Amino acid sequence: MPTMGALHQGHLDLVKKCVAQADCTVVSIFVNPTQFNNQEDFKKYPSSVKEDLDLLESAGVDYVFLPEVDTMYPSSPVLKLNFGHLETILEGAFRPGHFNGVGVIVSKLFHIIRPDFAFFGQKDLQQVAIIQTLVRDLSFPIEIIVVPTRREEDGLAMSSRNRRLSDLERKTALIIFNSLSVAAKELKEGKEWLVVQEQIIRQFQEQESVKLEYFELVEREAFEIKKQFDPHQKMAICAAAYVGEIRLIDNLIINS
Ligand code: PAF
C-alpha cells in the first residue's frame, strides 16, 4: 500500500482491507518529490513518521518501507509517462507533471514490493484512473482495489493536508463537501448539470477565502468530463479548491 505518510483514518481503512485480504501487508511511506508541482506544498507536506509507525503496528501491518529520496531516485528519472487525455483534465490540467510523478513512483514501488493487490483511496479518483491505466498498459500483475473515502463527522473528506487548515479554514472547507452533496441531490432530482454547476460556481465566488479550481461531472469508466447527467452511466462529481493556501480535492460517486 503506497502512502505519503501523515496517516489518518482513511489510510487505516485501506490498511484494514489489506490486512484482511492479504497474507502479508506492506505499507510504504514516501513523500514523493517528483509528484509535487508546487514546491511550497512539498516543503510543507505534513509528516508524522513516529505516529504513523505506531498506527501501522497496531493495525497489524507486517512491513513498512520507508525509503530515502536517494534510494528511490539514485538519479533523476528521464522517463516520462503520458496518460493521454487524463493529463489534460482536472488534476492533470491544474497540476502539470503530477501524474508523471505518481506513475513513476508507483511503478518503482510495484517493482520493489511486488504486491498481488494494491489499495488506493477513492478520494483521489483520477489517480485511480491513472493507476488502472498504468497497470493495464504496463501489464503489472496486480489487482487494484479502491476503498471509499473516509469523512469527518461533518462530511469533510479526510486528507493529510487537512492538518494544515486553521480552525476557521477547517469550517470553510466544508463548502466542498456541501456543494458536492447539493449537486448530487439536484442531479438525481432531474436538474440540468450545467445549471447546477453554474449555481455552485457562483456560491464559491461569494466565499472570499476559497478559490474553486474545478467542479465537474465525470464519467468514471473512461474518465471523461460530461455536460449532461446520464443515470445509466457511472458518474461522479469532482471538485478541487484552495481554502486559504491549502489545496483540497474531493468527489462524490453518483451511481455506483
Ligand atoms: O495518493 C498518494 O498518497 C500518492 O499519490 C501515492 C499513491 C502514495 C504516490 O506517491
Side-chain angles (χ1 to χ4, degrees):
M1 219 197 92
T3 83
M4 299 206 298
L7 303 180
H8 50 69
Q9 197 54 48
H11 293 107
L12 295 179
D13 286 351
L14 275 69
V15 170
K16 202 170 158 193
K17 278 230 156 156
C18 186
V19 169
Q21 182 163 341
D23 301 333
C24 176
T25 298
V26 183
V27 173
S28 62
I29 299 178
F30 180 65
V31 183
N32 173 36
T34 67
Q35 73 185 74
F36 286 83
N37 54 311
N38 175 337
Q39 275 313 298
E40 206 50 26
D41 187 30
F42 173 55
K43 274 194 240 142
K44 294 191 175 161
Y45 197 82
S47 166
S48 51
V49 175
K50 169 92 186 54
E51 287 87 336
D52 291 352
L53 293 176
D54 289 345
L55 285 171
L56 293 175
E57 188 165 20
S58 323
V61 166
D62 299 285
Y63 297 96
V64 177
F65 181 50
L66 200 84
E68 298 290 335
V69 174
D70 289 352
T71 311
M72 294 312 287
Y73 298 108
S75 57
S76 290
V78 203
L79 177 74
K80 293 273 175 276
L81 296 171
N82 182 332
F83 292 92
H85 84 282
L86 289 171
E87 301 268 2
T88 66
I89 61 169
L90 312 183
E91 294 302 287
F94 281 93
R95 302 188 67 187
H98 168 63
F99 285 137
N100 173 61
V102 170
V104 170
I105 193 66
V106 170
S107 302
K108 282 174 178 272
L109 290 167
F110 281 173
H111 283 307
I112 295 168
I113 309 289
R114 299 180 183 224
D116 297 311
F117 314 105
F119 296 75
F120 291 85
Q122 181 212 307
K123 189 174 86 68
D124 296 299
L125 196 62
Q126 193 172 1
Q127 174 170 276
V128 169
I130 290 285
I131 302 297
Q132 276 159 348
T133 306
L134 189 76
V135 164
R136 191 188 60 225
D137 286 7
L138 294 180
S139 308
F140 280 105
I142 298 173
E143 186 185 335
I144 301 303
I145 295 159
V146 184
V147 181
T149 304
R150 170 69 80 131
R151 299 186 178 280
E152 302 288 353
E153 242 166 62
D154 59 6
L156 180 74
M158 286 196 187
S159 161
S160 304
R161 289 186 178 85
N162 290 354
R163 295 189 192 184
R164 295 187 52 210
L165 298 170
S166 69
D167 289 350
L168 183 62
E169 287 169 343
R170 166 68 186 77
K171 286 195 190 107
T172 315
L174 206 54
I175 185 178
I176 303 172
F177 173 69
N178 287 345
S179 305
L180 288 167
S181 310
V182 168
K185 179 168 165 282
E186 293 190 342
L187 278 187
K188 284 183 193 155
E189 288 167 0
K191 243 191 181 176
E192 279 292 316
W193 165 250
L194 291 178
V195 176
V196 174
Q197 186 188 38
E198 200 191 309
Q199 158 205 321
I200 300 281
I201 291 174
R202 228 176 308 117
Q203 279 167 9
F204 270 93
Q205 283 165 350
E206 283 161 18
Q207 287 270 351
E208 242 182 51
S209 50
V210 187
K211 198 175 135 266
L212 183 68
E213 283 196 333
Y214 61 76
F215 195 90
E216 296 284 356
L217 181 65
V218 169
E219 191 282 316
R220 287 173 4 238
E221 302 263 91
F223 211 91
E224 281 169 353
I225 291 179
K226 296 286 171 187
K227 302 269 171 241
Q228 256 179 350
F229 177 56
D230 179 347
H232 305 296
Q233 286 188 333
K234 291 188 169 185
M235 298 197 125
I237 311 172
C238 299
Y242 273 95
V243 179
E245 286 183 357
I246 317 300
R247 187 175 185 279
L248 300 175
I249 62 172
D250 197 358
N251 64 78
L252 272 193
I253 286 182
I254 310 182
N255 38 6
S256 34

